[in-house]
C-alpha cells in the first residue's frame, strides 16, 4: 500500500451515517472514493456524495456511491481532496486539473474540509513549486493578464495537451498559469486575485482547510489549526 492509499483510508474513517460527502479530484481523491465505497459495502454506511468533477463522479458511480448534484445542496458535512502545495499554515495550491470552481465551491460549503497528501506536497509558501492557476473569462484573459503583470506576475495562457489550442476549464473558461514574487505572502496573493475583475476563480485556497493528513513512509501526520 502506498502513502496516498494510506492517507485516503484514514480520511475515509471520518465518514459517519447520514453524511453528505464531497469528493475531490485526482489520484489521492480516487483512493478516497475507493476507501469510502469499501466502508459503505462492508459496514452498510448510509451516505450521499457530491463530486467536484465529471471524472470523480464517474469513479463514484462505478464504485457504487450515491451521487447528488451540486445544484441540490446548500452545505455538505465533509469534503476530502488533495492539494498540489500545502504550507505550514494550511494554505493550499489547487486546481492544476482545471476544476477550480467546483473544488472551491465544495471546500467553502463544507463543515469540514480535510486535505489528504503525501509529504512531497509540503512547501514554505504558495507558488514555491508550481505556477498559480487562474481561471478567467475567455474574453477578458488579456486584460486580466495585464493587470497581473502590473503586480509583478509573469506567465501565459495555458495550452491544451496537444499544444495546438488554449486549454478549456471544466466551466468553459481559460486558465492563466502565473508566477508571483516570493515576497507576496499567501493572504496578499489571495486578496490580490480576489480583487481583479475577470478572474472567475484561482488556485489559492486560503483559510479554508482546517485539517491536513500527511502520509510519509507508512506514517500519518495530522496538521491542524
Amino acid at each position: 500500500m502506498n502513502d496516498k492509499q494510506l492517507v485516503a483510508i484514514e480520511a475515509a474513517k471520518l465518514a459517519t451515517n447520514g453524511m453528505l460527502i464531497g469528493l475531490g479530484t485526482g489520484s489521492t481523491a480516487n483512493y478516497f472514493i475507493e476507501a469510502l465505497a469499501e466502508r459503505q459495502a462492508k459496514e452498510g454506511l448510509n451516505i450521499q456524495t457530491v463530486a467536484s468533477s465529471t471524472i470523480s463522479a464517474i469513479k463514484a458511480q462505478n464504485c457504487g456511491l450515491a451521487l447528488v448534484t451540486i445544484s441540490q445542496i446548500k452545505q455538505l458535512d465533509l469534503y476530502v481532496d488533495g492539494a498540489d502545495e500545502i504550507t505550514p499554515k494550511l494554505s493550499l495550491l489547487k486546481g492544476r486539473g482545471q476544476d477550480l470552481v467546483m473544488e472551491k465551491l465544495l471546500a467553502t460549503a463544507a463543515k469540514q474540509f480535510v486535505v489528504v497528501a503525501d509529504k512531497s506536497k509540503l512547501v514554505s509558501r504558495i507558488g514555491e513549486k508550481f505556477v498559480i492557476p487562474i481561471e478567467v473569462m475567455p474574453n477578458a484573459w488579456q486584460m486580466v493578464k495585464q493587470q497581473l503583470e502590473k503586480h509583478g506576475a509573469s506567465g501565459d495562457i495555458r495550452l491544451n495537451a496537444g499544444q495546438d489550442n488554449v486549454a478549456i476549464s471544466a466551466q468553459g473558461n481559460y486558465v492563466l498559469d502565473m508566477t508571483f514574487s516570493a515576497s507576496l505572502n499567501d493572504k496578499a496573493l489571495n486578496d490580490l486575485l480576489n480583487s481583479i475583475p475577470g478572474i472567475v476563480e484561482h488556485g489559492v485556497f486560503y483559510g479554508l482547510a482546517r485539517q491536513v493528513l500527511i502520509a510519509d513512509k507508512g506514517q500519518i501526520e495530522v496538521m491542524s489549526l
Side-chain angles (χ1 to χ4, degrees):
M1 183 182 299
N2 63 41
D3 280 345
K4 288 183 178 183
Q5 285 175 294
L6 185 70
V7 77
I9 290 169
E10 189 68 21
K13 294 176 183 177
L14 298 171
T16 59
N17 270 323
M19 272 191 170
L20 174 60
I21 300 172
L23 308 175
T25 299
S27 56
T28 311
N30 279 341
Y31 285 128
F32 173 72
I33 293 170
E34 291 171 359
L36 199 59
E38 187 172 344
R39 278 202 63 200
Q40 177 182 260
K42 286 184 176 179
E43 303 172 30
L45 204 60
N46 178 28
I47 54 173
Q48 289 185 307
T49 64
V50 57
S52 61
S53 65
T54 300
I55 197 71
S56 290
I58 292 169
K59 176 75 172 177
Q61 283 181 318
N62 289 341
C63 288
L65 292 171
L67 278 166
V68 297
T69 65
I70 195 167
S71 62
Q72 295 174 279
I73 66 171
K74 294 180 180 179
Q75 190 177 53
L76 56 158
D77 299 296
L78 173 67
Y79 178 48
V80 176
D81 203 356
D84 301 314
E85 293 183 347
I86 303 165
T87 74
K89 293 186 178 180
L90 307 193
S91 294
L92 313 173
L93 179 66
K94 290 179 51 56
R96 289 196 302 143
Q98 297 170 199
D99 281 294
L100 275 170
V101 175
M102 286 288 284
E103 288 179 349
K104 195 168 281 189
L105 270 173
L106 294 181
T108 303
K111 293 177 185 176
Q112 185 179 16
F113 173 32
V114 176
V115 180
V116 288
D118 58 43
K119 195 176 181 179
S120 68
K121 303 302 173 68
L122 298 179
V123 294
S124 60
R125 64 173 182 87
I126 294 300
E128 185 176 300
K129 293 183 177 180
F130 297 107
V131 294
I132 310 296
I134 302 165
E135 188 166 341
V136 297
M137 296 169 58
N139 60 357
W141 75 269
Q142 292 193 79
M143 287 187 287
V144 172
K145 184 171 181 282
Q146 184 181 46
Q147 288 299 312
L148 294 171
E149 287 170 346
K150 286 181 179 178
H151 291 276
S154 61
D156 211 342
I157 195 166
R158 183 183 295 183
L159 300 181
N160 63 14
Q163 301 291 294
D164 55 4
N165 208 336
V166 295
I168 305 295
S169 77
Q171 303 302 314
N173 298 307
Y174 293 170
V175 179
L176 295 173
D177 285 325
M178 306 296 290
T179 301
F180 294 82
S181 168
S183 63
L184 204 61
N185 65 37
D186 300 343
K187 183 182 185 304
L189 179 56
N190 182 66
D191 290 346
L192 169 64
L193 297 177
N194 285 342
S195 72
I196 296 177
I199 292 178
V200 177
E201 198 47 85
H202 56 84
V204 180
F205 282 51
Y206 177 80
L208 292 175
R210 287 293 173 266
Q211 190 176 75
V212 175
L213 305 181
I214 296 291
D216 180 31
K217 299 175 182 176
Q219 300 296 315
I220 293 177
E221 175 190 353
V222 179
M223 299 170 62
S224 58
L225 295 177

